Amino acid sequence: MTERLVTLNDVSVQFDGPPVVDRINLTVNRGDVVTIIGPNGAGKTTLIKAVLGIQAIATGDIWLKPGARIGYVPQHLILQPTLPLSVRRFLMLTGEPEAACRAALAQTGVEHLFDASVHHLSGGEKQRVLIARALARSPDLLVLDEPAQGVDINGQAALYDLIRDLRDRLHCGVIMISHDLHLVMAATDRVICLNQHVCCSGYPADISTDPAFIKTFGQKVAESLAVYHHHHNHQHNLHGDVVNSDDGTPPHEDCNHHGVH
C-alpha cells in the first residue's frame, strides 16, 4: 500500500510583490523520486524550504506524515577555510552517534574519508559527505537541492545513480532540484516543471513533448531530451566511470551518455 509522506495543497509563498511560488499541489510517497526543474528564479529552493518548514507559506497547507524524518542536502556548504574540520566532526555535529555517521558514509561510498579534512575533499566527495550527513538521521524523506552542483559530468551521473540506489535500499521518498536535465531524466520517476506555478508535470519520457515545457526551456532542449531515452542499463562508480549493473565490469564501448541505450 502506498505510504504518503508529504502533501502540499495550494501552497503559495509571497514576499513583497507577486507570489514566488503560486498554488502548488504536490504529493510525495515513500519510494518516489520527484525532481523539480525550472529556470533560475522559478521558486524551486523556496518551495523545498517550505516543505522543510523553514519558509513560511502565505496560503495553503502542508501535511507531513507524523513522525517522518527529513534529511536535507543544501545547495551550498560554506565553511571558513581557517576552521579545522574533519569529516568525522562535521557529521557528528548532527548529534547522531559515531556508528550511524560511519554507516552513512559507507552508504555513500566514502567511509574512507571519515578522518579526512572537509576542506580537502573533491566536489564529488563533498557532495557524498553532505548526502551522508542527511542519511545519518535515517530519513523517511530525502530532500536535495542541486545535489550534483560543482561536480563534473561523470561525477554527476554517479551521484544520480547513488540517489536512486539509496531510494531502493532505504525505501525513502526523494525530492530533488536539478538543472542537469539530461542526467536527471534518467534518475527520476516524476518531473515537476516549476516557474512560480507548476507549468507541467509527468513521467520523464513524456515531459519533453509538453507545450509548457517547450515554452519554458525552448525547442532545442525539448528535442535533445526527446532523443535522450537513457534506459540506464548500467551504473557509474565513485569516479563516474560507466560500469555494467550486474558485475561492475566496463560496458561495451558504444555505451555512453549521448544517445539511446
Side-chain angles (χ1 to χ4, degrees):
M1 186 173 66
T2 300
E3 183 181 4
R4 187 164 53 116
L5 294 176
V6 63
T7 294
L8 281 65
N9 293 308
D10 289 326
V11 168
S12 297
V13 177
Q14 190 166 5
F15 304 123
D16 295 323
V20 180
V21 293
D22 189 20
R23 292 171 294 176
I24 306 299
N25 293 289
L26 173 66
T27 292
V28 180
N29 299 312
R30 189 177 294 279
D32 286 348
V33 179
V34 176
T35 300
I36 302 171
I37 63 174
N40 290 334
K44 301 183 296 295
T45 296
T46 299
L47 180 62
I48 64 167
K49 285 183 176 179
V51 172
L52 294 167
I54 57 178
Q55 172 61 60
I57 62 176
T59 63
D61 61 85
I62 298 176
W63 178 90
L64 183 66
K65 181 181 182 293
R69 296 178 301 277
I70 300 179
Y72 175 47
V73 180
Q75 183 175 358
H76 299 291
L77 174 66
I78 301 174
L79 298 171
Q80 290 295 331
T82 56
L83 176 66
L85 187 64
S86 68
V87 171
R88 174 201 298 265
R89 179 63 180 154
F90 176 66
L91 292 182
M92 294 188 68
L93 287 172
T94 62
E96 300 299 327
E98 181 174 323
C101 295
R102 279 189 178 276
L105 279 178
Q107 287 177 319
T108 62
V110 288
E111 187 180 9
H112 62 285
L113 297 175
F114 196 56
D115 293 312
S117 167
V118 170
H119 303 294
H120 296 157
L121 302 179
S122 69
E125 290 171 341
K126 185 177 294 184
Q127 291 306 106
R128 286 172 181 263
V129 167
L130 281 171
I131 295 172
R133 186 174 184 269
L135 293 180
R137 302 191 65 229
S138 300
D140 301 287
L141 179 65
L142 188 59
V143 179
L144 308 103
D145 191 350
E146 293 285 359
Q149 182 157 306
V151 181
D152 65 30
I153 187 73
N154 289 330
Q156 291 172 22
L159 279 170
Y160 288 126
D161 281 344
L162 171 66
I163 290 165
R164 284 192 67 88
D165 182 56
L166 290 170
R167 184 279 308 270
D168 294 340
R169 283 191 280 128
L170 305 177
H171 196 48
C172 59
V174 177
I175 303 174
M176 63 177 165
I177 291 174
S178 180
H179 283 103
D180 310 305
L181 296 184
H182 290 88
L183 290 174
V184 83
M185 289 299 183
T188 191
D189 301 319
R190 190 153 42 105
V191 177
I192 308 292
C193 183
L194 186 70
N195 196 2
Q196 280 73 58
H197 65 285
V198 175
C199 302
C200 56
S201 62
Y203 297 110
D206 301 328
I207 201 78
S208 63
T209 60
D210 192 295
F213 180 91
I214 296 170
K215 182 178 179 181
T216 302
F217 289 99
Q219 187 69 40
K220 277 191 173 181
V221 171
E223 288 174 356
S224 69
L225 289 181
V227 299
Y228 195 90
H229 296 306
H230 182 152
H231 295 309
H232 230 55
N233 59 354
H234 62 269
Q235 294 182 341
H236 307 87
N237 63 20
L238 176 60
H239 305 291
D241 301 321
V242 176
V243 296
N244 286 332
S245 58
D246 52 352
D247 60 5
T249 59
H252 188 274
E253 61 183 1
D254 291 336
C255 185
N256 54 55
H257 280 89
H258 304 289
V260 179
H261 297 280

